[in-house]
Amino acid sequence: MNDIDIESLKGIANQLRIHSIQATTAAGSGHPTSCCSAADLVAALFFGHMRYDPKNPHFYNNDRFILSKGHAAPLLYAAWAETGLFPVEDLLKLRQLGSDLEGHPTPRLPFADVATGSLGQGLGVGVGMALCARLDKLDYRTYVLMGDGECAEGAVWEAASLAGIQQLNNLIAIVDVNRLGQSEPTAFGHNLDVYKKRFEAFGWRTEEIDGHDIEEIVEVLAAVGLGQQPLVVLAKTLKGAGISFIQDKEGWHGKPLSKEEATRAIAELQPSAKSGIGVSIPAPHQLAAPKNDAPASYPPIAYKIGDSVATREAHGSALLRIGEVDPRIVALDGDTKNSTYSEKFSRKFPNRFTECFIAEQNMVGVATGFSTRGKVPFASTFACFFARAFDQIRVAGISMANVKLVGSHVGVSIGEDGPSQMGLEDIAMMRSIAGSAVLYPSDAVCTEKLMEQMASHKGIAFLRTSRPKTPVLYNNDEAFPIGGAKILRQAADDKVTVVAAGVTLYEALKAADALKNEGIGITVIDAYSIKPLAKDLIRSAAQKTRNVVVTVEDHYPEGGLGDAVAGELSMDGVKVHKLAVYELPHSGKPEELLAKYKIDAAAIVETVKRLASA
Amino acid sequence: MNDIDIESLKGIANQLRIHSIQATTAAGSGHPTSCCSAADLVAALFFGHMRYDPKNPHFYNNDRFILSKGHAAPLLYAAWAETGLFPVEDLLKLRQLGSDLEGHPTPRLPFADVATGSLGQGLGVGVGMALCARLDKLDYRTYVLMGDGECAEGAVWEAASLAGIQQLNNLIAIVDVNRLGQSEPTAFGHNLDVYKKRFEAFGWRTEEIDGHDIEEIVEVLAAVGLGQQPLVVLAKTLKGAGISFIQDKEGWHGKPLSKEEATRAIAELQPSAKSGIGVSIPAPHQLAAPKNDAPASYPPIAYKIGDSVATREAHGSALLRIGEVDPRIVALDGDTKNSTYSEKFSRKFPNRFTECFIAEQNMVGVATGFSTRGKVPFASTFACFFARAFDQIRVAGISMANVKLVGSHVGVSIGEDGPSQMGLEDIAMMRSIAGSAVLYPSDAVCTEKLMEQMASHKGIAFLRTSRPKTPVLYNNDEAFPIGGAKILRQAADDKVTVVAAGVTLYEALKAADALKNEGIGITVIDAYSIKPLAKDLIRSAAQKTRNVVVTVEDHYPEGGLGDAVAGELSMDGVKVHKLAVYELPHSGKPEELLAKYKIDAAAIVETVKRLASA
């Protein structure tokens, strides 16, 4: 890179600053100073260093760029506008309802692979992309621009650790150390050495630079990819850099400049500003495209009715079975693969499996990264530990990411390990994700078929599996579409409709038998798809039992199956009586706990009798 | 410590191993090998090093011990039994429904301050305890026993960072580096140097020892408290140590020994085993007890009806006001204190405020730590970022911890910042916590009164606050008990009951005015307490409007206000029509977004008209 290019980059950086200031002042909100600190870094990355096709941001071998410090969105938008992807005039529509240039980036924009704005999440996604590049034998690199404040997030260190272990030398983190957080200075100010020691301890190569010295930036970027370690560039910067009366001052986080201030700032920056349009951008290498085609069908299954198989184990069998023919499938686990049975897949396809160790936030981030590259990642751990990654799952929802989560060991039916290991709020959590599917199989056949459905489905899907073995209920050719339910018992004079799923379905069936002996009929429904719920089927069944419904679930009463049925059907007059785990449970034997917390057959019988005679 | 003591400790360690093996074999499940690796460490800590009253585990100046690797519960139980707190015979009741010696420790036991078992959470709680010791001028120390596997959790590094920044030399972490995870060896095996570099980079003093060499353990513990840094003891251990045919072998995680194996193991350990009963335990110093008494009352408030005040700001005012007279109150924030307004408190009471930086998991852990010492911690950040700490909140629920969370910036009404900053699933999350209270004020008076209620309430409480300013609705002497609701509009011929909270309450009031002009009456209820819900009040109002209820909430439809009302009242025939944010929202102006997602007055009017004529 010659001197002319350096000058050009300096000019482009100032042009990006001007756009960021103008857009946020026009919007009346936003984070211009957070844009200014990173403008030189972004100019150097986008206008000469990164290899990508600016007309086709989705090209499979483009270098990837993740703006982990998502509040600097106007800077990202300005960079892409200056590549010519869309008119720079559009930047003034920032944060308007009619424009996808939102307050923080989302994949509504073609150049944002993932939503950012919840800090500390970009690096984990970057790890997933870097692992995917290796798997697909592509040479794109993944760049993650982070703030110094977000380095307080543990998720950053989960990602850093795995990147170090995996020796991801195709992953580059750039930390914009502008020393000022939202409400006060960060703990370490401009002491880059703290960050250097931390990243080194996590297995990274580190470089410390002046983040406003384009020559230094260009020089350090030229050495990207050397050695076997991931690289972090620690850039000392000033918040608001380039605006003499604002830079490095407290009280300027998330604050647009007034019109007068903007005019003054732009007057300072304009003389040296330069458009990026027409600047030559290195093209990505033309390597073979990854094979990410879904198969026409999956191999058949062969269970026998009555066989005893835990749904968590059927999950493992399904993962292996569909993974055999579906090259899109990759799997991840958090050191529970012998309990979730994802180890079946990991043994057969070690290259397509990522052991994330005990770091669930990062596991979901890595899965999201894989999903942005056309893979269908299945991540598994105990259901309760997905709570650890709720924010990553939330953001995957905003990213409309194609991520599949499988949570095992749900409810009190795990028994002796006690409440810390019981998934009792996972349905509530996963239902609340925008666009999610929440699935809860009772037997092995249903589990296997739902795994196929998940692989075909677009978006976030969650499968809830149980620890105990349960008998196979369904024939191997039974279909289980997402949004469906199965009526297992129904007769003309039924008094109550019982809706169950998972282990409680067997309790409902036992209750049906017991009640039949006493002359009381109940309709039993397997609600294996909790979201979307088979509303019409359940409503219609309920209407035949005087609208009286009992739901039974191995979950807390809030936000689970009972709330789903009531929330969707009460408007039609359906009356839902919820059996659920109404108190903090204790350790004990599974059957003891189902009885103690009144979600067993006896509790169903008692409730039905009360309602049948009412 | 003399040679006799060393020999004695070696014997006690083996006795603890024997108990752990016997208890897990009797239970038929559990983690004996994870107990054995840490037995020497625990023997040295409990029988000569730590200062505490074994007859009074709650004494305020006892050293604290947190078993972060909670699956080694039998070891902890054995240690306390050997101090004489309860009969050693009880250890054989491990994991039984009738015993509080559960699979993982919970505060049902007097010596467990917090539930553990979700890995990586102990250190954050320990930071809270260590900060509290400093605040209360007590000299107890906090010891946290961790596994090496759990050091992959980011929460560990959030806690480590804050401990380093705060120079907590009264905090001691001990890492039991037994190199074997659940499903495979950890990434770093017995390479203690990796952990050493990481903790050093996070500001800790480090010591590397052989975790089975009692002399070395005793020696390194003798130097606890030196210098200004927190101390981590990195102990190289063998999983299953002491059992010749199991130690350091894979495949032994979470697996009890068979009866035969147990007999063989005990035969190896028995000859050198020694009871801890009667061993002299250093007494805690008798320092002044902390003042943790609730005040008789709180100072009055003085708002004027119609004043425009954001509930987030009223939260800050309340925190300061009640904090002035209530010494139990401490506050924490995650670098959002200028947005949540907790900065009002932080400025006045810097010693009682902890800036946790952008690390929400640790913030909740630290708050839990404070709560175990008699404080009433209020932790605040944007509501959506509490999703980051869901697992810590879940475990705080299992701990029955007295933690107060305040989440601001809820819903689409934040406007331009976009979905990543909007709390749209926080009600679902917080309702699902065992024993939680979920509160959602609409105006400043209600906010202030609910803050008082939260301070008096025992357990986890969540307050949901909004970004926009809203008019004061209530008189300063209005009472807002947890579990209550307010009827703001009601007339004999009302057609529909509208239940709202927060910003949507004002939309409901606007709708009532508009509908009144058209001759349609609606009942309007302020459901400021979503959990517990004012069931009787809402049911009774609904019955007067033909059981037709419309809920309106700035939240996703799953698990929120609408599901709460339907889930609790559909059984009584109440029909709930939910207005909520049914799709992934976009950036825009608050009022535009309320309209677009159909939770504004116009949407309420439209829905009521449809239902009134049905």
Side-chain angles (χ1 to χ4, degrees):
Chain A
M1 183 151 294
N2 59 36
D3 287 345
I4 294 171
D5 291 322
I6 297 287
E7 283 311 307
S8 165
L9 290 175
K10 288 181 184 173
I12 294 171
N14 278 346
Q15 186 60 53
L16 300 181
R17 288 187 170 97
I18 291 170
H19 286 315
S20 301
I21 293 165
Q22 286 175 327
T24 49
T25 294
S29 65
H31 303 76
T33 58
S34 302
C35 297
C36 288
S37 62
D40 302 296
L41 296 162
V42 165
L45 284 165
F46 274 74
F47 297 91
H49 176 71
M50 291 200 305
R51 294 184 303 230
Y52 64 104
D53 177 354
K55 297 199 171 15
N56 182 7
H58 284 301
F59 180 66
Y60 60 82
N61 202 27
N62 278 357
D63 282 348
R64 313 314 304 169
F65 178 82
I66 301 171
L67 183 71
S68 189
K69 48 172 287 183
H71 51 289
L75 177 65
L76 178 70
Y77 304 160
W80 280 99
E82 285 290 337
T83 67
L85 186 68
F86 60 88
V88 292
E89 294 76 33
D90 286 2
L91 294 171
L92 295 176
K93 297 177 190 162
L94 179 73
R95 294 175 161 245
Q96 292 180 13
L97 187 51
S99 164
D100 284 339
L101 300 174
E102 297 193 73
H104 294 75
T106 79
R108 286 176 173 129
L109 296 162
F111 53 82
D113 291 322
V114 286
T116 52
S118 182
L119 292 170
Q121 297 198 16
L123 196 59
V125 175
V127 169
M129 292 179 180
L131 284 167
C132 200
R134 183 184 285 178
L135 177 64
D136 285 337
K137 298 185 169 42
L138 293 172
D139 68 354
Y140 65 82
R141 292 186 180 125
T142 300
Y143 295 84
V144 182
L145 180 61
M146 300 160 66
D148 49 350
E150 69 177 310
C151 291
E153 288 284 9
V156 169
W157 302 104
E158 294 182 5
S161 190
L162 190 62
I165 292 166
Q166 292 276 356
Q167 302 193 308
L168 296 174
N169 67 350
N170 58 352
L171 177 67
I172 300 94
I174 300 110
V175 187
D176 174 16
V177 185
N178 66 25
R179 92 171 178 87
L180 294 174
Q182 172 178 324
S183 72
E184 66 174 64
T186 68
F188 311 117
H190 272 142
N191 185 358
L192 297 190
D193 200 44
V194 173
Y195 302 100
K196 177 182 163 69
K197 281 189 180 141
R198 292 184 178 191
F199 275 98
E200 280 179 354
F202 280 71
W204 289 57
R205 179 161 78 89
T206 63
E207 293 282 359
E208 294 177 74
I209 63 168
D210 175 347
H212 301 309
D213 183 331
I214 291 276
E215 285 186 67
E216 223 180 324
I217 298 169
V218 166
E219 188 186 328
V220 80
L221 289 179
V224 155
L226 287 186
Q228 294 308 309
Q229 291 174 294
L231 168 67
V232 61
V233 177
L234 300 164
K236 179 179 170 179
T237 62
L238 302 180
K239 200 157 176 170
I243 313 172
S244 64
F245 53 99
I246 286 175
Q247 67 182 20
D248 205 31
K249 284 193 181 155
E250 284 192 62
W252 273 99
H253 181 92
K255 210 165 156 180
L257 280 66
S258 69
K259 280 187 190 162
E260 295 67 31
E261 289 163 340
T263 304
R264 215 176 127 199
I266 292 166
E268 294 185 358
L269 294 162
Q270 195 72 67
S272 60
K274 184 182 175 311
S275 169
I277 305 281
V279 169
S280 159
I281 291 169
H285 298 144
Q286 297 290 328
L287 301 180
K291 289 197 174 65
N292 288 328
D293 298 316
S297 66
Y298 292 108
I301 54 173
Y303 290 93
K304 280 183 202 153
I305 301 270
D307 274 359
S308 203
V309 185
T311 52
R312 61 180 168 128
E313 184 166 3
H315 148 255
S317 304
L319 191 61
L320 178 60
R321 177 176 60 88
I322 67 179
E324 296 265 13
V325 297
D326 192 338
R328 303 170 307 159
I329 290 178
V330 297
L332 310 91
D333 203 298
D335 194 22
T336 60
K337 58 185 177 294
N338 55 338
S339 291
T340 63
Y341 286 94
S342 67
E343 69 178 0
K344 295 186 186 193
F345 182 94
S346 74
R347 284 185 187 145
K348 185 74 182 281
F349 301 109
N351 291 342
R352 287 158 64 193
F353 179 82
T354 306
E355 176 53 72
C356 294
F357 303 99
I358 311 176
E360 297 78 10
Q361 296 187 78
N362 188 53
M363 179 171 71
V364 172
V366 172
T368 301
F370 272 112
S371 81
T372 65
R373 314 307 300 139
K375 302 301 176 201
V376 181
F378 281 79
S380 49
T381 183
F382 286 20
C384 63
F385 301 139
F386 276 116
R388 202 63 152 261
F390 187 24
D391 200 31
Q392 277 75 11
I393 299 169
R394 180 180 78 87
V395 172
I398 300 171
S399 297
M400 299 162 273
N402 194 27
V403 168
K404 315 301 167 182
L405 306 177
V406 179
S408 68
H409 291 71
V410 303
V412 299
S413 61
I414 71 161
E416 292 83 351
D417 271 342
S420 69
Q421 317 293 303
M422 296 170 174
L424 285 160
E425 49 290 286
D426 54 298
I427 300 177
M429 174 175 81
M430 292 306 309
R431 281 181 67 227
S432 77
I433 299 296
S436 66
V438 180
L439 308 169
Y440 187 12
S442 301
D443 85 339
V445 171
C446 182
T447 306
E448 294 260 11
K449 297 300 181 77
L450 288 176
M451 285 287 288
E452 296 178 9
Q453 292 283 313
M454 289 169 84
S456 309
H457 163 269
K458 294 283 173 221
I460 295 183
F462 174 64
L463 187 81
R464 184 175 208 245
T465 68
S466 302
R467 182 175 179 277
K469 288 179 190 293
T470 44
V472 171
L473 288 174
Y474 295 104
N475 290 314
N476 289 307
D477 57 359
E478 186 85 30
F480 290 88
I482 290 175
K486 299 286 176 188
I487 297 181
L488 296 189
R489 300 284 173 89
Q490 191 172 35
D493 56 350
D494 284 348
K495 298 292 186 216
V496 172
T497 296
V498 176
V499 180
V503 295
T504 61
L505 182 64
Y506 298 89
E507 302 300 318
L509 293 171
K510 274 188 259 176
D513 292 341
L515 287 161
K516 197 174 182 182
N517 291 335
E518 302 190 45
I520 303 171
I522 60 172
T523 300
V524 176
I525 295 178
D526 175 2
Y528 67 82
S529 178
I530 296 180
K531 181 185 174 189
L533 189 74
K535 276 202 297 191
D536 294 343
L537 181 146
I538 297 172
R539 185 195 302 108
S540 162
Q543 285 166 348
K544 292 173 186 155
T545 60
R546 307 163 303 142
N547 274 324
V548 180
V549 169
V550 173
T551 57
V552 205
E553 60 192 309
D554 197 359
H555 186 275
Y556 285 136
E558 296 87 5
L561 174 63
D563 272 10
V565 175
E568 301 228 31
L569 294 175
S570 86
M571 71 174 75
D572 299 316
V574 172
K575 299 172 182 184
V576 178
H577 302 260
K578 296 193 291 187
L579 297 180
V581 181
Y582 275 88
E583 56 180 305
L584 182 62
H586 199 280
S587 286
K589 292 194 173 64
E591 58 278 15
E592 288 175 340
L593 300 182
L594 291 179
K596 181 174 168 68
Y597 300 108
K598 299 199 174 300
I599 55 171
D600 67 345
I604 298 168
V605 166
E606 184 191 325
T607 306
V608 166
K609 281 186 180 175
R610 179 168 56 79
L611 296 171
S613 62
Chain B
M1 183 151 298
N2 58 36
D3 287 344
I4 296 170
D5 290 321
I6 296 289
E7 284 311 307
S8 165
L9 290 175
K10 287 181 184 173
I12 295 171
N14 279 345
Q15 186 59 54
L16 301 181
R17 288 188 171 97
I18 291 170
H19 286 315
S20 302
I21 292 165
Q22 286 175 327
T24 49
T25 294
S29 65
H31 304 74
T33 58
S34 302
C35 296
C36 288
S37 63
D40 301 297
L41 297 162
V42 165
L45 285 165
F46 275 74
F47 296 92
H49 176 72
M50 291 199 306
R51 295 184 304 232
Y52 64 105
D53 178 353
K55 298 204 172 8
N56 183 8
H58 284 300
F59 180 66
Y60 60 83
N61 203 27
N62 279 357
D63 282 349
R64 313 313 304 170
F65 178 82
I66 301 171
L67 183 70
S68 188
K69 47 174 285 182
H71 52 290
L75 177 65
L76 178 70
Y77 304 161
W80 279 98
E82 285 290 337
T83 67
L85 186 67
F86 60 89
V88 292
E89 293 76 34
D90 286 2
L91 295 171
L92 294 176
K93 298 179 190 159
L94 179 73
R95 294 176 161 244
Q96 293 180 13
L97 186 51
S99 164
D100 283 340
L101 300 174
E102 297 192 72
H104 294 75
T106 78
R108 286 177 174 129
L109 296 163
F111 52 82
D113 291 323
V114 286
T116 51
S118 182
L119 292 169
Q121 298 198 16
L123 196 60
V125 175
V127 169
M129 291 180 182
L131 285 167
C132 198
R134 183 184 284 177
L135 177 63
D136 283 337
K137 299 186 170 40
L138 293 172
D139 67 356
Y140 65 83
R141 292 183 180 127
T142 300
Y143 295 83
V144 183
L145 179 61
M146 301 161 64
D148 49 349
E150 68 177 312
C151 291
E153 288 284 9
V156 169
W157 302 104
E158 293 181 5
S161 189
L162 190 63
I165 291 165
Q166 292 276 357
Q167 301 192 310
L168 295 175
N169 66 350
N170 58 352
L171 177 67
I172 302 94
I174 300 111
V175 186
D176 175 14
V177 185
N178 66 23
R179 91 170 180 86
L180 294 174
Q182 171 178 324
S183 72
E184 66 174 64
T186 67
F188 311 117
H190 272 142
N191 186 358
L192 297 189
D193 200 44
V194 172
Y195 301 100
K196 179 182 162 69
K197 281 190 181 142
R198 291 183 179 192
F199 275 98
E200 281 179 354
F202 281 71
W204 289 57
R205 178 160 79 89
T206 63
E207 294 282 359
E208 295 176 74
I209 63 167
D210 175 347
H212 302 309
D213 183 332
I214 291 276
E215 285 185 69
E216 222 180 325
I217 298 170
V218 167
E219 188 187 327
V220 79
L221 289 179
V224 155
L226 288 186
Q228 295 308 308
Q229 291 174 296
L231 169 66
V232 62
V233 177
L234 301 165
K236 179 179 169 179
T237 62
L238 302 180
K239 200 157 175 171
I243 313 172
S244 64
F245 53 99
I246 286 176
Q247 68 182 18
D248 205 32
K249 284 191 181 155
E250 285 192 61
W252 273 99
H253 182 92
K255 211 166 157 179
L257 278 66
S258 69
K259 280 186 188 162
E260 296 67 29
E261 289 162 343
T263 303
R264 214 175 127 199
I266 291 166
E268 294 185 358
L269 294 162
Q270 194 71 69
S272 60
K274 185 184 177 309
S275 168
I277 305 282
V279 168
S280 159
I281 291 169
H285 298 144
Q286 297 290 330
L287 303 178
K291 290 199 174 63
N292 289 328
D293 299 315
S297 66
Y298 293 107
I301 53 173
Y303 290 93
K304 281 184 199 150
I305 302 267
D307 274 359
S308 202
V309 185
T311 52
R312 62 182 167 126
E313 183 164 6
H315 148 255
S317 304
L319 190 62
L320 178 61
R321 177 175 59 87
I322 68 179
E324 296 264 12
V325 297
D326 192 338
R328 303 170 307 157
I329 290 177
V330 296
L332 310 90
D333 203 298
D335 194 22
T336 60
K337 58 187 177 291
N338 54 337
S339 291
T340 64
Y341 287 95
S342 67
E343 70 178 0
K344 293 186 186 191
F345 183 94
S346 74
R347 284 186 188 145
K348 184 73 182 285
F349 301 110
N351 291 342
R352 288 159 61 193
F353 178 83
T354 306
E355 176 53 72
C356 295
F357 302 100
I358 310 176
E360 297 79 9
Q361 297 188 78
N362 189 52
M363 179 171 73
V364 172
V366 172
T368 300
F370 272 112
S371 80
T372 66
R373 315 306 303 140
K375 302 303 176 197
V376 180
F378 281 80
S380 48
T381 182
F382 285 22
C384 63
F385 300 140
F386 276 117
R388 202 63 151 259
F390 186 23
D391 200 33
Q392 279 75 11
I393 299 169
R394 181 180 77 88
V395 172
I398 300 171
S399 297
M400 298 162 274
N402 195 26
V403 167
K404 316 300 168 183
L405 307 176
V406 180
S408 68
H409 290 71
V410 303
V412 299
S413 62
I414 71 163
E416 293 83 350
D417 271 340
S420 69
Q421 317 293 301
M422 295 170 174
L424 286 161
E425 49 290 286
D426 54 299
I427 299 178
M429 174 174 81
M430 292 305 309
R431 280 181 67 228
S432 78
I433 298 297
S436 66
V438 179
L439 308 169
Y440 187 12
S442 301
D443 85 337
V445 171
C446 182
T447 306
E448 295 260 10
K449 297 301 181 77
L450 288 176
M451 286 287 288
E452 296 179 10
Q453 291 283 314
M454 290 169 82
S456 309
H457 164 268
K458 295 282 174 219
I460 295 183
F462 173 65
L463 186 82
R464 184 176 210 244
T465 67
S466 303
R467 183 174 179 277
K469 288 180 191 290
T470 45
V472 171
L473 288 173
Y474 295 104
N475 289 316
N476 290 307
D477 57 359
E478 187 86 28
F480 292 87
I482 290 176
K486 299 287 176 188
I487 298 179
L488 296 187
R489 301 283 174 88
Q490 191 172 36
D493 56 351
D494 284 348
K495 299 292 187 217
V496 172
T497 296
V498 176
V499 181
V503 295
T504 61
L505 182 65
Y506 298 89
E507 300 301 318
L509 293 171
K510 275 188 259 177
D513 292 341
L515 287 160
K516 197 173 183 183
N517 291 336
E518 302 191 45
I520 302 171
I522 60 173
T523 300
V524 176
I525 295 178
D526 175 1
Y528 67 82
S529 177
I530 295 179
K531 182 185 172 189
L533 189 73
K535 277 203 297 193
D536 294 344
L537 181 146
I538 297 171
R539 184 195 303 108
S540 161
Q543 285 167 346
K544 292 172 186 155
T545 60
R546 307 165 301 142
N547 274 323
V548 180
V549 169
V550 172
T551 56
V552 205
E553 60 193 309
D554 197 357
H555 186 275
Y556 285 137
E558 295 88 4
L561 174 63
D563 272 8
V565 176
E568 302 228 31
L569 294 175
S570 85
M571 70 174 76
D572 299 315
V574 172
K575 300 173 183 186
V576 178
H577 302 259
K578 297 192 292 188
L579 298 179
V581 181
Y582 275 87
E583 57 181 305
L584 182 63
H586 198 280
S587 286
K589 290 193 173 65
E591 58 278 15
E592 287 175 340
L593 300 183
L594 292 179
K596 180 174 169 68
Y597 301 108
K598 298 198 174 302
I599 55 170
D600 67 344
I604 298 168
V605 165
E606 184 191 325
T607 305
V608 166
K609 281 187 180 173
R610 179 167 56 79
L611 296 171
S613 62

